[in-house]
Amino acid sequence: MTAPIPAFAFESSTTRVPDEERAALIADPGFGRVFTDHMATVRYSSEKGWHDLKIGARRPIQTDLATSVLHYAQEIFEGMKAYGRPGGGAALFRPQANARRFQESARRMAMPELPEEIFLESVRALVRTEIDWIPPGEDGALYLRPFMFASEVFLGVKPADEYLYAVIASSVGGYFKGGSPAISLWATREYTRAAPGGTGAAKCGGNYAASLIAQAEAIRNGCDQVVFLDAIERRWIEELGGMNIFFAFDDGSLQTPPLGGTILPGITRDSIIRLARDLGVTVREEPYSIEQWQADAQSGRLTETFACGTAAVVTAIGQVKTTEGSFAIGGQSVGPLTQRIRAALVDIQRGRAEDPYGWVETVV
Ligand code: PLP
Ligand code: COI
């Protein structure tokens, strides 16, 4: 039996951005600065459960300064994109996977688990409302940010009894500006992102807050992103601040760090493993050390490295810096396997290739 589709009450914004202004805003939106007219909201309380499902005008909310999330960071989020279809309309990519990861993040953060159908319908309803905000161009998409936070006004340290779940939407282009074909990474020795038993596999705001000092260090050292090593031996590569990582070798194989509780189980990562194997590429989910990475890059055994995620899509990595020096990867450009994987993924997401996996859900 399929679950009934939850009904979201709809109230149109009375302050919609005029068409011409919207067209100018989405012509070259960058990442995460252009927001649409509406948002989805759902409230939760221990007494009433999930209630008050709405699509309404995107507007600021009033918050008491004793609201629990502002003190103890009980907050989780998701990141996903709606893509324009070649003949019009829009589609989501593996939205059920985001819904399930949102539930897993909630469990880890002692929050109530949003039913999958409410998550899915909140996103679908918002995309249907905001389809005109999908930017043109090869990198253009409507980035969706479902999130939930403890909204109870209470300073005791305990899981809250009240939460607000919301989805906002942002017209986006590529995540990285600058147009360089390959990004550079700072491998931090001082800071780690996640430890066994911690929250590394959850998509909670606190993980990102804790990563910012290392990201700032990366920028100071002229790098685009930080790459984190494991918290125990400080040598096994885990992931970047907001992306997973893949390594390509001269025998045509790929390798990516295994999931084990300290890295985010990326949906792009999972999709790439599947796609690559179906393209005949051997993919290993095995630990890889920074020393080996450097040695292999220098010997030529390692030919390419790329980052992947919803925001980053598939982005080549050209250089790695540490406190002890730096090393270059391949030709510091987009290598052939990176290119092939990227094209295979993006063509499915954007409806240009067949989708034998049932990953794409047309929404409008
Ligand atoms: N790792 C981290 C820390 C992230 O923030 C993200 C982005 O969501 C990813 C990996 C990639 O995950 P996904 O492919 O599901 O977007
Ligand atoms: C995403 O890719 O959706 C993320 O959450 C990562 C962040 C760099 C925006």
Side-chain angles (χ1 to χ4, degrees):
M1 205 179 80
T2 49
I5 296 175
F8 276 74
F10 179 75
E11 194 180 318
S12 183
S13 168
T14 51
T15 55
R16 283 178 172 220
V17 175
D19 290 353
E20 234 173 80
E21 205 180 310
R22 183 182 62 241
L25 284 170
I26 69 175
D28 183 17
F31 186 90
R33 292 195 189 278
V34 175
F35 298 98
T36 69
D37 296 312
H38 296 86
M39 64 181 179
T41 50
V42 179
R43 292 208 167 264
Y44 176 92
S45 70
S46 311
E47 275 151 46
K48 289 168 82 176
W50 302 99
H51 62 280
D52 215 3
L53 285 62
K54 273 189 205 153
I55 303 285
R58 192 180 66 84
R59 59 164 83 89
I61 56 165
Q62 273 205 324
T63 310
D64 190 294
L65 292 182
T67 300
S68 178
V69 67
L70 299 178
H71 302 270
Y72 309 127
Q74 206 188 5
E75 189 268 357
I76 57 171
F77 69 96
E78 268 304 323
M80 53 208 291
K81 281 176 174 169
Y83 304 90
R85 305 288 293 170
L92 294 162
F93 183 71
R94 303 188 67 183
Q96 280 86 359
N98 293 95
R100 284 183 208 132
R101 189 170 64 187
F102 199 63
Q103 292 181 330
E104 277 151 30
S105 298
R107 208 172 305 138
R108 177 61 184 85
M109 301 302 286
M111 298 165 92
E113 288 176 41
L114 182 71
E116 194 174 312
E117 272 311 312
I118 298 184
F119 180 98
L120 292 174
E121 193 51 27
S122 67
V123 169
R124 291 178 191 134
L126 191 63
V127 173
R128 278 186 216 116
T129 309
E130 305 294 50
I131 187 157
D132 293 343
W133 285 90
I134 298 180
E138 174 58 27
D139 295 329
L142 192 62
Y143 182 79
L144 300 154
R145 173 52 64 87
F147 63 106
M148 174 163 69
F149 61 87
S151 55
E152 186 179 357
V153 178
F154 181 54
L155 290 185
V157 181
K158 66 150 185 87
D161 283 321
E162 289 167 28
Y163 296 88
L164 178 64
Y165 165 75
V167 191
I168 53 172
S170 174
S171 308
V172 300
Y175 187 74
F176 294 102
K177 43 185 182 310
S180 160
I183 60 166
S184 54
L185 299 186
W186 171 252
T188 176
R189 294 280 190 186
E190 190 173 357
Y191 303 107
T192 57
R193 178 183 174 277
T199 58
K203 207 158 164 63
C204 60
N207 287 345
Y208 297 78
S211 77
L212 296 178
I213 190 166
Q215 176 63 25
E217 199 179 69
I219 304 283
R220 263 202 317 280
N221 283 282
C223 296
D224 298 295
Q225 278 284 311
V226 58
V227 56
F228 287 101
L229 306 176
D230 77 289
I232 296 172
E233 295 182 59
R234 309 259 179 143
R235 55 189 292 248
W236 303 106
I237 299 152
E238 297 224 307
E239 62 176 327
L240 317 195
M243 292 143 223
N244 294 117
I245 190 165
F246 278 82
F247 308 95
F249 297 89
D250 60 357
D251 63 357
S253 67
L254 278 176
Q255 185 161 333
T256 190
L259 303 178
T262 57
I263 69 175
L264 192 79
I267 295 159
T268 318
R269 173 190 180 281
D270 183 73
S271 308
I272 287 173
I273 292 173
R274 185 78 195 270
L275 275 174
R277 286 185 178 150
D278 288 354
L279 289 170
V281 175
T282 299
V283 187
R284 292 177 300 276
E285 293 180 76
E286 284 171 20
Y288 194 49
S289 72
I290 178 128
E291 297 84 9
Q292 197 64 45
W293 190 15
Q294 175 157 13
D296 289 345
Q298 282 163 351
S299 74
R301 180 175 169 256
L302 176 104
T303 49
E304 303 172 40
T305 302
F306 62 82
C308 69
T310 299
V313 194
V314 170
T315 301
I317 294 163
Q319 208 197 11
V320 184
K321 278 194 200 172
T322 70
T323 39
E324 298 98 57
S326 69
F327 58 96
I329 293 166
Q332 302 198 47
S333 59
V334 185
L337 190 53
T338 303
Q339 180 58 39
R340 195 160 153 232
I341 297 286
R342 187 188 156 94
L345 177 72
V346 171
D347 285 351
I348 292 178
Q349 289 172 330
R350 294 184 177 271
R352 295 190 296 245
E354 241 191 279
D355 170 26
Y357 309 101
W359 284 343
V360 172
E361 180 189 310
T362 306
V363 182
V364 199

